[in-house]
C-alpha cells in the first residue's frame, strides 16, 4: 500500500512511501526504481521534495522528519566535510567503490 506519492520539481522523479515506511525514488521517463531509502517503520506517511529538488523530506506519525540529500555528489561533499579522519582502503571499497583511497581522502 502506498501512503503518499509526489513528483520532483522538474517532474523527472517520483517519490513514494509505502506502509512499511520504505521510500522509493522512481525515474519517470524510464519507469524504474532509482533509489530506496531506509524505512521509518509504519509511521512513515508523507514525502516532499525541496523546491530545488536537492532534498527529500519524509515525515512520520510521531513528529519525526528525516531530510535526505538526493544528489550523490552533494552527499559525498557533505560526508567529506564531516570526516574527522582519512578513510581506510576497506572503507573506500565499501562506500566509494574504489580499490584504494585517493591520497587526499
Amino acid at each position: 500500500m502506498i501512503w503518499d506519492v509526489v513528483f520532483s520539481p522538474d517532474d523527472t522523479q517520483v517519490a513514494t512511501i509505502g506502509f512499511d515506511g520504505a521510500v522509493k525514488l522512481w525515474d519517470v521517463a524510464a519507469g524504474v526504481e532509482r533509489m530506496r531509502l531506509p524505512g521509518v517503520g509504519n509511521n512513515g506517511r508523507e514525502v516532499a521534495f525541496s523546491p530545488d529538488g536537492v532534498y527529500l523530506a519524509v515525515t512520520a506519525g510521531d513528529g519525526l522528519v528525516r531530510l535526505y540529500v538526493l544528489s550523490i555528489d552533494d552527499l559525498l561533499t557533505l560526508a567529506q566535510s564531516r570526516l574527522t579522519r582519512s578513510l581506510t582502503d576497506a572503507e573506500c571499497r565499501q562506500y566509494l567503490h574504489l580499490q584504494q583511497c585517493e591520497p587526499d581522502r
Side-chain angles (χ1 to χ4, degrees):
M1 173 187 276
I2 300 294
W3 285 112
D4 195 20
V5 61
V6 64
F7 279 86
S8 64
D10 63 2
D11 294 327
T12 62
Q13 299 181 87
V14 170
T16 62
I17 187 167
F19 180 74
D20 62 355
V23 175
K24 297 177 183 177
L25 290 176
W26 302 85
D27 181 299
V28 172
V32 297
E33 181 182 315
R34 293 288 184 197
M35 184 185 302
R36 182 183 301 245
L37 302 171
V40 292
N42 291 338
N43 291 330
R45 293 288 189 262
E46 297 178 73
V47 289
F49 285 95
S50 62
D52 59 6
V54 173
Y55 302 99
L56 184 71
V58 179
T59 65
D62 61 2
L64 178 69
V65 177
R66 286 192 168 105
L67 191 60
Y68 295 94
V69 178
L70 298 177
S71 163
I72 191 67
D73 292 332
D74 290 342
L75 185 57
L76 284 172
T77 299
L78 176 65
Q80 289 171 345
S81 74
R82 294 183 177 182
L83 282 176
T84 58
R85 62 174 176 77
S86 297
L87 295 177
T88 66
D89 285 339
E91 290 167 330
C92 283
R93 284 190 296 277
Q94 180 177 357
Y95 301 119
L96 303 178
H97 306 287
L98 300 172
Q99 285 303 311
Q100 63 186 42
C101 290
E102 298 171 14
D104 61 334
R105 289 210 185 267

